[in-house]
Each structure stands twice: as structure tokens, then as C-alpha cells.
Amino acid sequence: MTTTYAVLSEGLEKRFGDVHALRGLDLAVAEGTVCGVLGRNGAGKTTAVRVLTTLTAPDGGSARIAGHDVVREAGAVRAAIGVTGQSASVDGELSGRQNLRLFARLLKYRGEVARTRADELLERFELTDAADRPARTYSGGMRRRLDLAASLLARPQVLFLDEPTTGLDPHSRNQIWAAVRELAGRGTTVLLTTQYLEEADQLADDIVLVDSGRAAHSGSPAELKARIGSYAEVVVAHASALGPAAAVLDQLTGTEPVLDHERRTVGAVTTDPSLTLPRIVRELDAAGAAAIDASLRPPTLDEVFLRLTGRGTPIKETAA
Amino acid sequence: MSTDALVTERRTTDATAPTHTPVADGLAVLGRHLQRIKATPGVLILTQTMPITMLLFFGYVFGSALAVPGREYRAFLVPGLLAATAANGVMTGMFQSAQDCHRGVMDRFRTLPMSRSAVPFGQTAADVLTTAVGLVPLMLVGLAVGWRIEGGPAAAVGAFGLLLLFRFATSWVGCWLGLLIRNEEAAGQLGASTFILPLLSSAYIPTDNLPGWLRTLAEWNPISAVAAAARDLFGNAAPAADAAWPVAHPVAGTLLWSAVLLAVAVPLSVRLYSRGGE
């Protein structure tokens, strides 16, 4: 059986003056799957979404969405997609209901159908009570839900979510996640960008790590995690225990531990899935290293990039 | 929570209209702008108050110091203020489209399978409709302070039509500038400085006494032609025969200026909207 790709890009290039935002980005998202595009601020995630959703013309390369070329068949692409995120927003002066009715009309739903469709989505996203208030009075989470509702009016084949949960509280984030899972479960292809490894892990069938405008790595969350491993960290009571604790971690993980004398911590990356926290604690105890805290957690995004690209955090980025 | 709200079969049967329906799309966008005005009526009231304040201020403070041949200054000033209001489309159009770019609404429209001319058309058409309503209070106050409609009803309707046509043209120019600027604050700043434009025209003062080069500049300002056309058609003052061509033939001048502005701004706006400011 051949795979049909809902999103397929080859060698996408985009420059903004001196900034080379996309440097040959390849993406392939199979129909009906969720692709998590993971990257730090400035990696090119938003530019990629803008090119794929016809908002920005690429300088080079090509991309097809649901089989249609983003440049030559932009109209057909627009008829197949929904977009939510940093770049596509609703009108803050209009109420949630007015916004959804407007977009429904522009999506060629007529009169009564447009009204019904708007009300359906308001209810689905628990916005019925706030439906007649100006959208500018909504909380961040409500606003994001309204954005998502607007992008789902036409029941798109491919949904683009550009950092859908950045800046949201956990409850709102869970609501967005639930909607994404439901859409994915019913066959919608989803491409979402995120800065959070956890989010990509939770939602995506495949993760593409984007760094400096190109795909640095791609694979399933399990493959990615196997490759990047976990991070074992131990806090000791006295600086004198740092040495013995480091020796234990060195022996257990096979990688060189990193010592932080100020915080009295020692940490090391492990790719051994059988290594457990109790074992680490037992070995520390046996070695006489008095640990007061220990953890075995997924690495942060910065640690992932450090492992996969050999480069650490470049510059302190501004908020998204 | 109903799951069917999210994904079922694509579109209902009566929602399979073709993608390119510029008129229906334009009307939907127009409706959006009218809803915005209804949601924030303060903005409209504020824009109404400004020319009325200027009428009273200029009319009574400057009016006593200015000598206008044959006519009282306030009767001269009202058509000028109407023309200046028509020129304000640059400011409102620029602010509106810059705000929509800035806040991401423009990009939402641009991801929809809708006509590429609908957004600028809906915006400018809504602006003309609000201006049609907005000119009325100014005219009523004008009538109260001594201005008269003396050219007959047909000519008066013609004057009103010309004012709206010019507003439509300036609104498109503003729309284009806003798409170019894309920044709400910058558009607001630049918009505020457009008050200079009618000062360099015959809107508030007769141009006859200006020094030669300044007079030429002022008379080739499109606002002068519009003001002269309004004065002519409302029967307040005949066009000056020795003035520059658009002012000496103000009706033709206004039509021509509007046509030129539209011929330039419409394609530029639609192209810029389609490309997203690149």
C-alpha cells in the first residue's frame, strides 16, 4: 500500500533579507496522522506554517497540501486547510458568534447553515455562554478555543496549529489537546508546531525536529526518546558526596556526568530504558553517597538539541 | 460535547458554491465592518465630532479674520469640510487595514478560500456607507450656522455622490497604505498627520491670495477640486475660471482624480493583500 501524504514539502527555502528562515525544509506527513514540528524560537516553525498555508510564498523548493501545490493551486489548498496559531486570528471587536458566522459565510455556508455551524462549534468548545461578548474580552484560553473553532468550520482535511498552547494554563492546554486527539482519531491530518517536547510526545505520531530552517531529525516519539534518552539527576546533602555520586552515575549510564558544585547536583544522560530510579537510589545508597533528591526525567528541549545538533542554547530568545 | 461538530462528511450539500464569489465575499466583509461600528459606536461619534468642532472653531474664530469675497466664510467652509471629510478615507482606510494585519485578522482571511478582492472591497464599501451617514450631522450643523443648499436638489445629490466617490477612492488609497505599513501604531501616527492635506488646499481658505507656487500646489491638491465641486453644486460659489484645471472644472476634476486614485490603489491593494505584504 502506498502512503498518501497530506503535507509534502521538498527543499523549502525562505529568506527575509539577511535572515535565512527556511534552508531546504523537507516534511512528509502521512494522511490522517499528527506531525509535531518541534523547534526553538526562531527555528523556522512559523515560517514553515506560513508557507504551507499559502500565507507566504517560498523562495525555493515546493510543497503540496492534500495534493495541491501551495503556489500554483493556492485556492485549492485553502479549501482543504484550517489554520490556527500565531498568525491567523479572529476580530476582537466582534463577538465569538459574529466571528464564526462571518468565517462560515466566507466558507460558503449559507444563511441558516452558517448560523447552525457557528453554534455547533461554540458549544463544542464551551463558548456558548460567552458567545455574544466581544472576543477581546475572552481569556487567553477562550480566545485560543475560538481560533481553533474558526479553523474547524469547514471541517478541514489538514489542520495547521502554530504553537496552539503557548502561554496557556494547564486546563486550557488540556482542552486543546483533547480536541486535537479527537480530530486525529477521526482522520484529520494535523501539523502542529511546538516548543514543548511533552506536547509533541503527547499528540504526535511523528516528530520533526526543526533547527535553523531544516529538519534535523524525524521519527516517532519513541524513536526520538530512545535516541535522546533520559536525564538522571541527583542532589546530594554535602559537597563531599558529589564525587561518589558521579562515580555511580558514570557506572550506571556510561556517559560522563556533569557536576554542579553550587547546586550540589550531578547529572548524566542515559539511553538505557531498563535503568530505573529505584536502582539509581539503591546504588547511591550502597556507595554511601547521601542523596537528598533524585530524578529520572525526559531531557528538556535544549538538552535534546544539544544532543542532536551538538549546539546548545544559542541566544536568549524573546517570548513567543 | 458533540463529536460531530468537528469532523463529519466535508461541507453540507448547499455549501458547495464555487470559490470565487467576489460579491458575496465582499458583502460578508462589509457586514463585518458594519458590525464593528455597531460594537464600538464611540469611534464613529468621535469621527463625527471632529469636523463639526472644526466648523464651529474655524467658522467663528478664524471667520471673523478672513474676508471671503461674496460669501460668508461659514458658507464657504462647510463644503470645504465636507471635502476634507471625504479625504479622510486615507486615514481610516490605512488604520483599518494596518490593524487587521497587525492583529492577524488579515492572515485569517488570507487562509480562506475566498475572493482576493473581497477584503479591501468590503472595507472600503463599508467606509463609504458610514461616511454617507456621517456627513449628515455636519451638513445639519452647517445649515444651522448659515450654510445653504442653493443649487437645487439634483445638483445637491450630485455633490453628495461626488463626495462619496472621492471617499471611496481615498479609502482604497488608505487600504493600500495600511497593507504596506502593517503596524497599528505606525498607521495611527501617520494617519494623524494627514490633517495637513486639507490645509494645503482650498478646503478651509480661498487659494486666490496664496503666493504663486503655493497656489499651484494647493489647486492641484485633489481636495481643492472636491471642495470646488461641492461649492459649485451646492450653489455656494462658482468655480474660479483662472484656477488650475481641476478646480476650474471641479466636477470633471473630481471624477478624474477619483478615477486616477482608484486605478492606482485598487490593483495595488488587491496585489498586496494577495501577497501578504511581501
Side-chain angles (χ1 to χ4, degrees):
Chain A
M1 204 182 102
T2 54
T3 313
T4 314
Y5 292 102
V7 178
L8 192 61
S9 83
E10 283 172 346
L12 278 186
E13 295 275 340
K14 186 68 194 178
R15 281 175 187 279
F16 299 101
D18 292 340
V19 182
H20 207 157
L22 297 180
R23 304 165 185 255
L25 180 69
D26 298 325
L27 285 174
V29 184
E31 210 164 66
T33 66
V34 179
C35 174
V37 174
L38 186 62
R40 295 173 288 196
N41 274 327
K45 302 188 299 292
T46 295
T47 307
V49 168
R50 292 184 65 84
V51 169
L52 297 174
T53 56
T54 79
L55 286 172
T56 297
D59 294 331
S62 67
R64 299 181 82 80
I65 307 297
H68 307 291
D69 187 277
V70 292
V71 177
R72 288 190 304 277
E73 302 164 282
V77 171
R78 292 181 192 120
I81 62 171
V83 189
T84 291
Q86 301 187 311
S87 35
S89 189
V90 298
D91 187 340
E93 303 303 328
L94 299 189
S95 71
R97 197 189 306 276
Q98 286 174 324
N99 267 295
L100 293 189
R101 285 183 180 175
L102 167 67
F103 297 126
R105 276 189 71 188
L106 292 170
L107 286 160
K108 318 302 176 235
Y109 287 102
R110 303 217 174 100
E112 194 51 44
V113 186
R115 284 192 285 277
T116 315
R117 188 76 190 118
D119 290 347
E120 261 173 32
L121 282 158
L122 287 169
E123 195 176 331
R124 168 60 184 79
F125 286 101
E126 295 167 35
L127 291 166
T128 307
D129 291 343
D132 296 310
R133 266 166 42 197
R136 69 182 143 75
T137 66
Y138 287 15
S139 69
M142 291 163 73
R143 184 72 180 252
R144 209 68 65 89
R145 264 145 50 209
L146 181 62
D147 274 342
L148 186 55
S151 61
L152 294 174
L153 281 164
R155 300 187 173 92
Q157 283 171 264
V158 188
L159 179 65
F160 290 88
L161 301 171
D162 191 12
E163 302 202 7
T165 62
T166 299
L168 291 190
D169 60 86
H171 176 66
S172 304
R173 186 196 64 185
N174 289 342
Q175 284 181 312
I176 303 275
W177 283 8
V180 172
R181 287 199 183 98
E182 191 183 325
L183 284 159
R186 306 193 55 156
T188 304
T189 308
V190 181
L191 186 149
L192 72 95
T193 72
T194 180
Q195 299 188 52
Y196 310 123
L197 188 60
E198 188 200 356
E199 182 161 76
D201 185 25
Q202 286 279 334
L203 298 175
D205 299 306
D206 287 291
I207 296 177
V208 177
L209 280 169
V210 175
D211 186 49
S212 305
R214 61 170 79 89
H217 176 85
S218 62
S220 70
E223 284 165 13
L224 189 71
K225 279 194 286 191
R227 189 155 168 210
I228 57 184
S230 303
Y231 194 72
E233 193 176 61
V234 175
V235 186
V236 293
H238 300 288
S240 59
L242 275 174
V248 169
L249 285 186
D250 192 358
Q251 189 229 326
L252 287 175
T253 65
T255 58
E256 195 184 332
V258 179
L259 278 77
D260 184 336
H261 290 274
E262 214 167 286
R263 291 171 50 231
R264 290 200 303 274
T265 64
V266 52
V269 172
T270 172
T271 49
D272 175 6
S274 67
L275 182 63
T276 61
L277 193 57
R279 183 158 168 232
I280 296 173
V281 174
R282 277 198 306 273
E283 297 283 337
L284 285 168
D285 201 35
I292 54 171
D293 197 7
S295 60
L296 189 61
R297 57 165 173 81
T300 64
L301 192 54
D302 279 334
E303 288 161 357
V304 170
F305 276 100
L306 186 64
R307 297 262 300 150
L308 292 176
T309 67
R311 292 192 292 117
T313 311
I315 24 163
K316 198 73 199 157
E317 304 282 354
T318 50
Chain B
M1 286 202 301
S2 89
T3 46
D4 283 333
L6 295 191
V7 192
T8 51
E9 76 284 10
R10 279 180 57 74
R11 310 275 173 91
T12 36
T13 40
D14 67 336
T16 49
T19 332
H20 289 284
T21 48
V23 178
D25 288 350
L27 288 176
V29 177
L30 190 153
R32 172 218 171 195
H33 287 283
L34 298 183
Q35 282 177 329
R36 281 175 68 93
I37 289 160
K38 214 175 138 195
T40 50
V43 178
L44 186 66
I45 293 166
L46 210 65
T47 52
Q48 306 288 297
T49 323
M50 196 57 196
I52 293 173
T53 311
M54 286 171 76
L55 169 59
L56 300 176
F57 188 78
F58 283 13
Y60 286 93
V61 180
F62 293 175
S64 51
L66 285 166
V68 177
R71 290 286 166 183
E72 212 216 320
Y73 180 59
R74 287 191 295 277
F76 173 88
L77 184 60
V78 171
L81 279 166
L82 293 171
T85 306
N88 257 342
V90 175
M91 184 180 76
T92 56
M94 179 163 66
F95 188 73
Q96 185 62 64
S97 54
Q99 189 185 57
D100 282 346
C101 289
H102 200 130
R103 299 188 178 180
V105 187
M106 213 56 112
D107 280 338
R108 161 77 61 197
F109 286 130
R110 294 178 61 239
T111 62
L112 297 179
M114 58 186 281
S115 154
R116 301 284 97 183
S117 56
V119 168
F121 173 78
Q123 179 188 317
T124 50
D127 189 50
V128 169
L129 285 185
T130 28
T131 306
V133 178
L135 288 177
V136 175
L138 175 59
M139 292 170 83
L140 291 177
V141 176
L143 288 169
V145 300
W147 173 65
R148 292 291 174 265
I149 297 173
E150 296 161 280
V157 170
F160 202 69
L162 280 183
L163 289 166
L164 294 185
L165 173 68
F166 189 66
R167 175 74 179 210
F168 189 55
T170 59
S171 196
W172 273 96
V173 173
C175 179
W176 173 64
L177 290 172
L179 286 166
L180 211 57
I181 296 167
R182 303 178 61 79
N183 179 297
E184 198 173 330
E185 286 82 25
Q189 298 281 330
L190 193 63
S193 62
T194 57
F195 83 97
I196 286 179
L197 298 176
L199 287 175
L200 271 174
S201 78
S202 68
Y204 309 141
I205 46 139
T207 47
D208 333 6
N209 300 328
L210 291 174
W213 63 274
L214 200 56
R215 182 180 176 185
T216 311
L217 188 72
E219 287 178 349
W220 282 96
N221 181 338
I223 301 170
S224 293
V226 183
R231 284 178 191 125
D232 187 20
L233 293 172
F234 284 127
N236 308 126
D242 65 334
W245 188 86
V247 174
H249 308 84
V251 174
T254 302
L255 289 171
L256 207 62
W257 274 125
S258 304
V260 168
L261 293 178
L262 285 169
V264 174
V266 171
L268 284 177
S269 301
V270 173
R271 204 175 69 150
L272 200 55
Y273 169 82
S274 306
R275 292 184 177 183
E278 285 173 43

